[in-house]
Amino acid sequence: MTFEEFVAARLPALVRHATVLSGDPHVAEDVVQDVLVKAQPRWTRIRTLDVPESYLRKMIINELVSTRRRVTARLRRERVQLPVEVEDRAEQVVQREALVQLIRALPPRQRIVIALRYFEDMADGDIAALMGCSLATVRSQASRALARLRHVATLEPSREAR
Amino acid sequence: MIDKEAIRDAFAAIADEAPSPERIRATLAARARQHRQRRMVLRVAGIGVAAASVGATGAEVWRLLQQPDAHFPAMGGGPGGGWLDVPLRHRPAWLPRQYGQANRTVLVADDQAAVVSLEWRPGGSASDGLTPTVGLTIGWHDVLEPNRPTGRRTETVDVNGVAGQLVQTDGERSSPYVIWKPPGQPQLIVSVMTNDDLDEQRAIALRVARSVQPDQRHTSVGPRFGWLPADLAALPWMFVLGHDGASWVQSLSTKGADDSRQLDVSIGPDVHKDHINRDVAQPIQVRGFPGWQVPDNGQLFLTLSDGVEVSLQLLSPASEDGMSGPNPNTVPELVRIVEEFDFGPWPDMTWVGSK
């Protein structure tokens, strides 16, 4: 498969994947573009791999957790505001929106871990292999991420009290 | 209550915000176009190398020129030589670490080598796309003018006592080149496209330019056309000798006036890969060589008796935005081109990776 054929077939999936991992469509677009620009000159070698797309997904993760991206992500997190609760919205929608905002605000590694675990149904061992870290690291990152997300649950009593 | 389904729903909502991939597609396509244009200039004429110096002593010279930390593949090639002997005339004495020669291009006009262009890349890099490249183009020809890069910033520089211009090209990925003309010598262009920042690339371009010195080595053009369609005959054509991974590739290309038609011929042990659409290809035999034709794409693929592969494509303009479109006469033209084509000796490739 040539690079052009791969891009034609898999670009939408890669963009969607990067959007989930980054929590930000603009970052996802930039990262996927940067990754493909880097991959193109190496395609002769990448295409010989069993699953070239896995290699690119790993490149996406590496790019997302790079120093430069972390700085950008931190700036974005600082701008994130939890949604104002609007009484006429369904509770479920409010909770999901709150959860989305918290997910966006997570540190990149934590967000990536729970995205891979809950959205892509990957086993922790596979996540560790993909991210190039230990199983313990994956589990600790997931634990911290879930602790932050539980903040949503703490919002619920206030809604119920109203 | 936060559960697995709630998290999954939240991620699904984020996924639904995924942007359209069209901007990325457009950017990649633009970069590819820009890169092709720049490579045309780097290669404008072509390449050639060193058959004259590659003999018993040539091999020793080649080893001396090898950089010990460069990783270039060993490849078979052939005895080298050909119908046109091309003096290289110049080469840089300094290149960035790990760079070795990867491409030689010759622009052939009136059976003469009008322009020679040499490319150096880091060892182990791919031959396509946006690989860091240092190029030296020796000579110039009017046919190259449409591909001359435009500059948005020009600075006069001294190249060993000769005034030259250090030009920063336009475009998304701007990069510099140095152009100068030593007395009694052809015009020289050193072009640099690396992953360094622009200032570093400018420094590299200037350092490479100032290191350029005479080179007594030669290269050869082995293959040549015996017949071409009237609109392509008598026009300059480009010969490129290089490699794709561990396989040598030599290509010939020519373009009609006003970009009316473009012919590309590639020859090498592995030039068919990824290019034959087996769903629409039809078997064909030319000069006794079996192969495939794809009339809708103006393509012909043959395998020679020693296993070396040949691919030809003749593109005609079909629309404002591209060179494409079937022509019922294309395959017969390609067949005749092959019937009268002189493949020459297979190229000597021992220069790959040298300075």
Side-chain angles (χ1 to χ4, degrees), chain A residues 2 5, chain B residues 270-277 294 297 299 301 311:
Chain A
T2 66
E5 289 169 342
Chain B
D270 193 23
V271 300
H272 286 178
K273 63 184 179 188
D274 299 336
H275 297 301
I276 305 179
N277 184 344
V294 185
N297 294 342
Q299 292 173 314
F301 302 92
S311 72

Side-chain angles (χ1 to χ4, degrees), chain A residues 4-19:
Chain A
E4 289 73 19
E5 289 169 342
F6 176 83
V7 168
R10 300 303 303 158
L11 180 56
L14 285 178
V15 173
R16 186 175 170 87
H17 175 73
T19 303

